[in-house]
Amino acid sequence: MKKTIQRRLLTGALVLMTALVTKPAHAVNYQALVDADVKKFQGYFRKEFPDVKFEDYGDGVYALDEDARKQWKEMEEFPPYELDVEAGKALFNKPFANGKSLASCFPNGGAVRGNYPYFDEKRKQVVTLEMAINECRVANGEKPYPGFKGDLAKVSAYMAYISRGQKIDVKVKSAAAYKAYMKGKAFFYGKRGQLNMSCSGCHMEYAGRHLRAEIMSPALGHTTHFPVFRSKWGEIGTLHKRYEGCNDNIGAKPFEEQSEEYRDLEFFQTIMSNGLKFNGPAARK
Amino acid sequence: MKSSGIIAAAAILMLPSLGVAADQSAAPKAAPAVVSPAAKGKAVANDRNKGNCLACHMMDDGEFPGNFGPPLSQMKERYPDRAVLRKQIWDATVKNPTSIMPPFGKHGIMSESELDQLLDYLYTL
């Protein structure tokens, strides 16, 4: 009798143990893993720049450098992206050949910046705002907007503008989403190109330092304010255009606008900025 | 973290990406007939497609230097052994595996003879 109970207990324990061992494989809390990364990432900057207020990281390099910040504030008095926002608004409402418009694809009048990027669990990929804009066009029989700038950036600028203040809160809920996140993370920390440099090298380790006359922006906040009107470009461009430029500068292979590589990178970078607010479009020198 | 207004203003004027601003101090492409190896080395150091050392180091009379790495001066005193200095520039990750300094020799960013000219130049600093 005693033995039977013991045996039963043992089997029970074994069943329980197997359950404990196998269950986590199905129920990994990916969000918790990601949240731990976010905490570490944001903690790095808090420690490195104890005087910088968290919300100021949305202002890029101007969060770190007082003099540059003053000049930028002056630039923002007559924002160079103003005309692009206007043009974007017109494009957003302009009827397609079928009578619909971009406006018919997006709820809330298009003030949806805060919903992107997100991981589409059905299609198993990251969807960015720019991707959604072009998919709306294609779904309505129009051609997608080409490239890193022009109409795509203008529509994105308008949608960012009317969404200003929306909070960044990107989630990672599945193994597939976590995989995309990890790809973006590897891209961010990996050394590449002829010059053998990583995003993290310039935008974490050496954030705030001078690379010749440029001051390095912190990676925290990198994706809050795009698209950006950059004086050097003389026009407005997307986040992926900036990625392309930073890849190119170190002799690394650039990827296409809305390539999977850049979407995963945007996914990772935006998650690292969780808690900040979208404040695009912005002006940069 | 504070930069002077001059640097900030210059930054706006020059709008460099990785060392675009080096142009104005870069030596002419076709070197005059008689040029010392050290002078050629200076051109290699300042060429933004080769050394571009000023992007990260204060060095000689170069304007608006970066400050990723330490100033490059008194090289003879600090590097009596030329091979040690050569190795640092050929592949900085030997000494510091996570170094951000590009592996100029290993990745063929400059040729071996350009690297030797660069060393001649560094020893004048």
Side-chain angles (χ1 to χ4, degrees):
Chain A
M1 181 68 193
K2 212 171 159 201
K3 272 228 170 102
T4 335
I5 290 177
Q6 262 180 2
R7 207 174 298 134
R8 276 204 190 135
L9 271 176
L10 204 69
T11 355
L14 273 174
V15 168
L16 196 72
M17 264 166 66
T18 1
L20 280 176
V21 171
T22 51
K23 209 177 166 219
H26 299 292
V28 176
N29 188 342
Y30 294 105
Q31 190 64 47
L33 294 175
V34 166
D35 286 343
D37 279 2
V38 171
K39 206 171 156 203
K40 223 159 108 192
F41 184 91
Q42 297 187 351
Y44 172 87
F45 288 101
R46 202 173 305 118
K47 200 166 147 225
E48 200 71 11
F49 305 103
D51 299 336
V52 174
K53 278 189 273 158
F54 180 68
E55 59 267 29
D56 285 351
Y57 281 103
D59 296 335
V61 68
Y62 311 115
L64 305 186
D65 190 90
E66 197 53 48
D67 290 333
R69 188 177 180 88
K70 263 188 218 139
Q71 294 174 356
W72 169 70
K73 286 267 182 203
E74 279 164 27
M75 184 156 60
E76 283 278 346
E77 275 172 34
F78 299 99
Y81 48 78
E82 219 163 33
L83 291 174
D84 296 312
V85 170
E86 282 305 311
K89 181 180 182 175
L91 290 167
F92 186 79
N93 293 307
K94 191 176 152 193
F96 299 140
N98 69 2
K100 291 193 180 170
S101 67
L102 282 168
S104 29
C105 288
F106 296 96
N108 202 19
V112 293
R113 180 62 262 206
N115 301 346
Y116 298 89
Y118 72 92
F119 190 81
D120 184 328
E121 299 289 353
K122 271 199 216 103
R123 293 194 285 164
K124 302 263 179 274
Q125 56 175 326
V126 173
V127 178
T128 65
L129 178 60
E130 284 78 9
M131 181 174 169
I133 291 168
N134 268 338
E135 286 186 343
C136 170
R137 288 181 57 82
V138 172
N140 285 287
E142 302 284 323
K143 284 207 183 100
Y145 292 134
F148 295 103
K149 47 192 194 178
D151 289 347
L152 182 61
K154 288 174 191 175
V155 171
S156 168
Y158 169 65
M159 293 174 77
Y161 186 75
I162 58 175
S163 307
R164 276 183 175 181
Q166 289 178 6
K167 209 166 166 190
I168 304 180
D169 185 19
V170 181
K171 301 279 192 225
V172 176
K173 290 183 198 148
S174 67
Y178 190 65
K179 199 169 155 205
Y181 167 84
M182 289 303 278
K183 276 195 199 155
K185 183 176 172 179
F187 200 111
F188 181 78
Y189 289 104
K191 280 175 179 276
R192 59 171 48 73
Q194 195 186 30
L195 301 193
N196 198 40
M197 290 179 175
S198 62
C199 317
S200 61
C202 283
H203 293 291
M204 282 189 83
E205 244 181 289
Y206 291 94
R209 298 267 196 114
H210 285 260
L211 182 77
R212 201 73 200 245
E214 291 263 17
I215 307 166
M216 301 307 308
S217 59
L220 175 53
H222 255 171
T223 63
T224 61
H225 52 277
F226 275 82
V228 154
F229 187 101
R230 199 168 171 227
S231 315
K232 189 187 165 188
W233 296 338
E235 62 187 325
I236 198 155
T238 62
L239 176 65
H240 294 193
K241 180 170 168 64
R242 181 72 244 195
Y243 286 169
E244 182 212 26
C246 282
N247 274 168
D248 197 52
N249 284 342
I250 57 165
K253 179 182 155 213
F255 294 90
E256 299 291 315
E257 173 77 35
Q258 300 311 313
S259 58
E260 190 188 337
E261 287 83 359
Y262 283 173
R263 277 182 288 124
D264 289 348
L265 181 59
E266 176 173 348
F267 191 52
F268 169 77
Q269 281 217 291
T270 310
I271 289 167
M272 289 302 108
S273 294
N274 270 353
L276 287 170
K277 283 175 179 160
F278 282 108
N279 60 344
R284 293 288 183 269
K285 67 178 175 56
Chain B
M1 288 313 88
K2 291 260 146 61
S3 75
S4 72
I6 294 175
I7 287 179
I12 287 197
L13 281 175
M14 297 200 263
L15 314 168
S17 50
L18 177 51
V20 171
D23 289 345
Q24 114 252 51
S25 54
K29 282 237 159 51
V34 207
V35 186
S36 71
K40 282 189 193 157
K42 182 171 183 174
V44 171
N46 289 342
D47 186 332
R48 72 181 190 91
N49 291 315
K50 301 214 165 122
N52 199 18
C53 316
L54 282 164
C56 298
H57 295 277
M58 199 189 282
M59 183 186 201
D60 204 359
D61 56 359
E63 287 179 317
F64 308 113
N67 62 359
F68 277 39
L72 298 179
S73 62
Q74 296 178 298
M75 300 309 278
K76 243 186 213 142
E77 289 80 352
R78 297 198 296 123
Y79 289 92
D81 185 350
R82 188 172 162 120
V84 174
L85 183 55
R86 198 177 203 283
K87 202 156 120 193
Q88 168 70 30
I89 297 159
W90 200 82
D91 181 8
T93 64
V94 172
K95 201 166 166 212
N96 170 12
T98 62
S99 180
I100 198 167
M101 177 162 148
F104 290 99
K106 191 180 173 194
H107 277 201
I109 302 164
M110 58 180 73
S111 70
E112 298 296 324
S113 64
E114 284 168 337
L115 210 159
D116 283 320
Q117 291 162 359
L118 174 67
L119 288 173
D120 287 339
Y121 168 59
L122 290 179
Y123 277 127
T124 69
L125 303 179

PDB file of all heavy atoms in Angstrom, chain B residues 37-59:
ATOM      1  N   PRO B  37      58.176  60.487 -48.887  1.00  0.00           N
ATOM      2  CA  PRO B  37      57.242  59.457 -48.430  1.00  0.00           C
ATOM      3  C   PRO B  37      56.335  59.984 -47.312  1.00  0.00           C
ATOM      4  O   PRO B  37      55.145  59.662 -47.280  1.00  0.00           O
ATOM      5  CB  PRO B  37      58.158  58.347 -47.905  1.00  0.00           C
ATOM      6  CG  PRO B  37      59.456  58.552 -48.601  1.00  0.00           C
ATOM      7  CD  PRO B  37      59.578  60.033 -48.840  1.00  0.00           C
ATOM      8  N   ALA B  38      56.885  60.812 -46.426  1.00  0.00           N
ATOM      9  CA  ALA B  38      56.077  61.336 -45.326  1.00  0.00           C
ATOM     10  C   ALA B  38      54.941  62.211 -45.849  1.00  0.00           C
ATOM     11  O   ALA B  38      53.821  62.169 -45.339  1.00  0.00           O
ATOM     12  CB  ALA B  38      56.949  62.124 -44.356  1.00  0.00           C
ATOM     13  N   ALA B  39      55.228  63.000 -46.905  1.00  0.00           N
ATOM     14  CA  ALA B  39      54.188  63.854 -47.476  1.00  0.00           C
ATOM     15  C   ALA B  39      53.119  63.002 -48.141  1.00  0.00           C
ATOM     16  O   ALA B  39      51.915  63.280 -48.056  1.00  0.00           O
ATOM     17  CB  ALA B  39      54.791  64.832 -48.476  1.00  0.00           C
ATOM     18  N   LYS B  40      53.575  61.936 -48.806  1.00  0.00           N
ATOM     19  CA  LYS B  40      52.595  61.002 -49.391  1.00  0.00           C
ATOM     20  C   LYS B  40      51.770  60.362 -48.291  1.00  0.00           C
ATOM     21  O   LYS B  40      50.564  60.153 -48.428  1.00  0.00           O
ATOM     22  CB  LYS B  40      53.328  59.900 -50.163  1.00  0.00           C
ATOM     23  CG  LYS B  40      53.830  60.336 -51.519  1.00  0.00           C
ATOM     24  CD  LYS B  40      54.337  59.115 -52.290  1.00  0.00           C
ATOM     25  CE  LYS B  40      55.125  59.524 -53.510  1.00  0.00           C
ATOM     26  NZ  LYS B  40      56.063  58.463 -53.947  1.00  0.00           N
ATOM     27  N   GLY B  41      52.447  60.048 -47.189  1.00  0.00           N
ATOM     28  CA  GLY B  41      51.757  59.443 -46.044  1.00  0.00           C
ATOM     29  C   GLY B  41      50.693  60.361 -45.474  1.00  0.00           C
ATOM     30  O   GLY B  41      49.628  59.907 -45.053  1.00  0.00           O
ATOM     31  N   LYS B  42      50.969  61.661 -45.484  1.00  0.00           N
ATOM     32  CA  LYS B  42      49.976  62.616 -44.977  1.00  0.00           C
ATOM     33  C   LYS B  42      48.734  62.608 -45.873  1.00  0.00           C
ATOM     34  O   LYS B  42      47.599  62.681 -45.381  1.00  0.00           O
ATOM     35  CB  LYS B  42      50.581  64.022 -44.911  1.00  0.00           C
ATOM     36  CG  LYS B  42      49.621  65.060 -44.342  1.00  0.00           C
ATOM     37  CD  LYS B  42      50.285  66.390 -44.069  1.00  0.00           C
ATOM     38  CE  LYS B  42      49.274  67.357 -43.419  1.00  0.00           C
ATOM     39  NZ  LYS B  42      49.880  68.615 -43.004  1.00  0.00           N
ATOM     40  N   ALA B  43      49.008  62.495 -47.174  1.00  0.00           N
ATOM     41  CA  ALA B  43      47.875  62.432 -48.109  1.00  0.00           C
ATOM     42  C   ALA B  43      47.037  61.172 -47.854  1.00  0.00           C
ATOM     43  O   ALA B  43      45.803  61.214 -47.884  1.00  0.00           O
ATOM     44  CB  ALA B  43      48.381  62.458 -49.545  1.00  0.00           C
ATOM     45  N   VAL B  44      47.720  60.053 -47.586  1.00  0.00           N
ATOM     46  CA  VAL B  44      47.005  58.810 -47.281  1.00  0.00           C
ATOM     47  C   VAL B  44      46.187  58.976 -45.997  1.00  0.00           C
ATOM     48  O   VAL B  44      45.023  58.568 -45.917  1.00  0.00           O
ATOM     49  CB  VAL B  44      48.002  57.631 -47.124  1.00  0.00           C
ATOM     50  CG1 VAL B  44      47.282  56.391 -46.595  1.00  0.00           C
ATOM     51  CG2 VAL B  44      48.691  57.326 -48.446  1.00  0.00           C
ATOM     52  N   ALA B  45      46.788  59.597 -44.998  1.00  0.00           N
ATOM     53  CA  ALA B  45      46.111  59.798 -43.708  1.00  0.00           C
ATOM     54  C   ALA B  45      44.853  60.636 -43.878  1.00  0.00           C
ATOM     55  O   ALA B  45      43.824  60.367 -43.248  1.00  0.00           O
ATOM     56  CB  ALA B  45      47.053  60.467 -42.714  1.00  0.00           C
ATOM     57  N   ASN B  46      44.939  61.651 -44.751  1.00  0.00           N
ATOM     58  CA  ASN B  46      43.815  62.583 -44.869  1.00  0.00           C
ATOM     59  C   ASN B  46      42.784  62.182 -45.918  1.00  0.00           C
ATOM     60  O   ASN B  46      41.668  62.709 -45.922  1.00  0.00           O
ATOM     61  CB  ASN B  46      44.334  63.993 -45.192  1.00  0.00           C
ATOM     62  CG  ASN B  46      45.034  64.610 -43.994  1.00  0.00           C
ATOM     63  OD1 ASN B  46      44.855  64.169 -42.874  1.00  0.00           O
ATOM     64  ND2 ASN B  46      45.845  65.622 -44.238  1.00  0.00           N
ATOM     65  N   ASP B  47      43.148  61.288 -46.811  1.00  0.00           N
ATOM     66  CA  ASP B  47      42.203  60.836 -47.842  1.00  0.00           C
ATOM     67  C   ASP B  47      41.043  60.115 -47.161  1.00  0.00           C
ATOM     68  O   ASP B  47      41.233  59.129 -46.463  1.00  0.00           O
ATOM     69  CB  ASP B  47      42.937  59.875 -48.802  1.00  0.00           C
ATOM     70  CG  ASP B  47      42.058  59.478 -49.979  1.00  0.00           C
ATOM     71  OD1 ASP B  47      40.812  59.472 -49.836  1.00  0.00           O
ATOM     72  OD2 ASP B  47      42.619  59.162 -51.045  1.00  0.00           O
ATOM     73  N   ARG B  48      39.830  60.618 -47.402  1.00  0.00           N
ATOM     74  CA  ARG B  48      38.706  60.032 -46.653  1.00  0.00           C
ATOM     75  C   ARG B  48      38.341  58.633 -47.120  1.00  0.00           C
ATOM     76  O   ARG B  48      37.600  57.926 -46.436  1.00  0.00           O
ATOM     77  CB  ARG B  48      37.490  60.954 -46.675  1.00  0.00           C
ATOM     78  CG  ARG B  48      36.789  61.049 -47.985  1.00  0.00           C
ATOM     79  CD  ARG B  48      35.617  62.020 -47.850  1.00  0.00           C
ATOM     80  NE  ARG B  48      34.760  61.965 -49.020  1.00  0.00           N
ATOM     81  CZ  ARG B  48      33.712  61.152 -49.124  1.00  0.00           C
ATOM     82  NH1 ARG B  48      33.397  60.338 -48.150  1.00  0.00           N
ATOM     83  NH2 ARG B  48      32.990  61.147 -50.217  1.00  0.00           N
ATOM     84  N   ASN B  49      38.879  58.230 -48.251  1.00  0.00           N
ATOM     85  CA  ASN B  49      38.652  56.850 -48.671  1.00  0.00           C
ATOM     86  C   ASN B  49      39.782  55.926 -48.237  1.00  0.00           C
ATOM     87  O   ASN B  49      39.765  54.735 -48.538  1.00  0.00           O
ATOM     88  CB  ASN B  49      38.494  56.783 -50.190  1.00  0.00           C
ATOM     89  CG  ASN B  49      37.195  57.437 -50.629  1.00  0.00           C
ATOM     90  OD1 ASN B  49      36.150  57.208 -50.018  1.00  0.00           O
ATOM     91  ND2 ASN B  49      37.271  58.266 -51.653  1.00  0.00           N
ATOM     92  N   LYS B  50      40.780  56.485 -47.565  1.00  0.00           N
ATOM     93  CA  LYS B  50      41.890  55.636 -47.087  1.00  0.00           C
ATOM     94  C   LYS B  50      42.003  55.762 -45.577  1.00  0.00           C
ATOM     95  O   LYS B  50      41.276  55.126 -44.838  1.00  0.00           O
ATOM     96  CB  LYS B  50      43.172  56.047 -47.811  1.00  0.00           C
ATOM     97  CG  LYS B  50      43.000  55.879 -49.330  1.00  0.00           C
ATOM     98  CD  LYS B  50      44.281  55.470 -50.023  1.00  0.00           C
ATOM     99  CE  LYS B  50      43.953  54.977 -51.418  1.00  0.00           C
ATOM    100  NZ  LYS B  50      44.656  55.748 -52.438  1.00  0.00           N
ATOM    101  N   GLY B  51      42.927  56.615 -45.095  1.00  0.00           N
ATOM    102  CA  GLY B  51      43.111  56.723 -43.645  1.00  0.00           C
ATOM    103  C   GLY B  51      41.934  57.395 -42.956  1.00  0.00           C
ATOM    104  O   GLY B  51      41.314  56.846 -42.063  1.00  0.00           O
ATOM    105  N   ASN B  52      41.668  58.628 -43.409  1.00  0.00           N
ATOM    106  CA  ASN B  52      40.586  59.400 -42.770  1.00  0.00           C
ATOM    107  C   ASN B  52      40.760  59.407 -41.261  1.00  0.00           C
ATOM    108  O   ASN B  52      39.782  59.374 -40.514  1.00  0.00           O
ATOM    109  CB  ASN B  52      39.232  58.813 -43.164  1.00  0.00           C
ATOM    110  CG  ASN B  52      38.106  59.807 -42.933  1.00  0.00           C
ATOM    111  OD1 ASN B  52      38.347  61.001 -42.801  1.00  0.00           O
ATOM    112  ND2 ASN B  52      36.891  59.313 -42.861  1.00  0.00           N
ATOM    113  N   CYS B  53      42.014  59.446 -40.833  1.00  0.00           N
ATOM    114  CA  CYS B  53      42.315  59.343 -39.400  1.00  0.00           C
ATOM    115  C   CYS B  53      41.672  60.478 -38.607  1.00  0.00           C
ATOM    116  O   CYS B  53      41.281  60.295 -37.449  1.00  0.00           O
ATOM    117  CB  CYS B  53      43.821  59.351 -39.160  1.00  0.00           C
ATOM    118  SG  CYS B  53      44.759  58.315 -40.305  1.00  0.00           S
ATOM    119  N   LEU B  54      41.570  61.659 -39.258  1.00  0.00           N
ATOM    120  CA  LEU B  54      41.014  62.817 -38.557  1.00  0.00           C
ATOM    121  C   LEU B  54      39.555  62.621 -38.150  1.00  0.00           C
ATOM    122  O   LEU B  54      39.043  63.325 -37.289  1.00  0.00           O
ATOM    123  CB  LEU B  54      41.124  64.072 -39.433  1.00  0.00           C
ATOM    124  CG  LEU B  54      42.518  64.709 -39.482  1.00  0.00           C
ATOM    125  CD1 LEU B  54      42.610  65.680 -40.652  1.00  0.00           C
ATOM    126  CD2 LEU B  54      42.829  65.420 -38.173  1.00  0.00           C
ATOM    127  N   ALA B  55      38.888  61.689 -38.793  1.00  0.00           N
ATOM    128  CA  ALA B  55      37.511  61.408 -38.390  1.00  0.00           C
ATOM    129  C   ALA B  55      37.474  61.055 -36.906  1.00  0.00           C
ATOM    130  O   ALA B  55      36.524  61.389 -36.207  1.00  0.00           O
ATOM    131  CB  ALA B  55      36.933  60.270 -39.222  1.00  0.00           C
ATOM    132  N   CYS B  56      38.515  60.405 -36.442  1.00  0.00           N
ATOM    133  CA  CYS B  56      38.511  59.895 -35.065  1.00  0.00           C
ATOM    134  C   CYS B  56      39.641  60.418 -34.179  1.00  0.00           C
ATOM    135  O   CYS B  56      39.560  60.283 -32.954  1.00  0.00           O
ATOM    136  CB  CYS B  56      38.582  58.370 -35.074  1.00  0.00           C
ATOM    137  SG  CYS B  56      37.174  57.611 -35.873  1.00  0.00           S
ATOM    138  N   HIS B  57      40.720  60.936 -34.786  1.00  0.00           N
ATOM    139  CA  HIS B  57      41.873  61.352 -33.984  1.00  0.00           C
ATOM    140  C   HIS B  57      42.262  62.805 -34.243  1.00  0.00           C
ATOM    141  O   HIS B  57      42.262  63.254 -35.396  1.00  0.00           O
ATOM    142  CB  HIS B  57      43.111  60.509 -34.343  1.00  0.00           C
ATOM    143  CG  HIS B  57      43.013  59.068 -34.012  1.00  0.00           C
ATOM    144  ND1 HIS B  57      43.274  58.568 -32.754  1.00  0.00           N
ATOM    145  CD2 HIS B  57      42.699  57.989 -34.782  1.00  0.00           C
ATOM    146  CE1 HIS B  57      43.130  57.250 -32.759  1.00  0.00           C
ATOM    147  NE2 HIS B  57      42.774  56.866 -33.990  1.00  0.00           N
ATOM    148  N   MET B  58      42.659  63.493 -33.197  1.00  0.00           N
ATOM    149  CA  MET B  58      43.337  64.762 -33.356  1.00  0.00           C
ATOM    150  C   MET B  58      44.716  64.437 -33.913  1.00  0.00           C
ATOM    151  O   MET B  58      45.363  63.485 -33.469  1.00  0.00           O
ATOM    152  CB  MET B  58      43.461  65.430 -31.990  1.00  0.00           C
ATOM    153  CG  MET B  58      43.721  66.915 -32.053  1.00  0.00           C
ATOM    154  SD  MET B  58      44.095  67.532 -30.416  1.00  0.00           S
ATOM    155  CE  MET B  58      42.457  67.621 -29.724  1.00  0.00           C
ATOM    156  N   MET B  59      45.141  65.248 -34.896  1.00  0.00           N
ATOM    157  CA  MET B  59      46.358  64.857 -35.591  1.00  0.00           C
ATOM    158  C   MET B  59      46.937  66.027 -36.364  1.00  0.00           C
ATOM    159  O   MET B  59      46.230  66.636 -37.183  1.00  0.00           O
ATOM    160  CB  MET B  59      45.953  63.743 -36.572  1.00  0.00           C
ATOM    161  CG  MET B  59      47.044  63.131 -37.352  1.00  0.00           C
ATOM    162  SD  MET B  59      46.216  62.015 -38.520  1.00  0.00           S
ATOM    163  CE  MET B  59      47.541  60.939 -38.898  1.00  0.00           C
TER     164      MET B  59
END
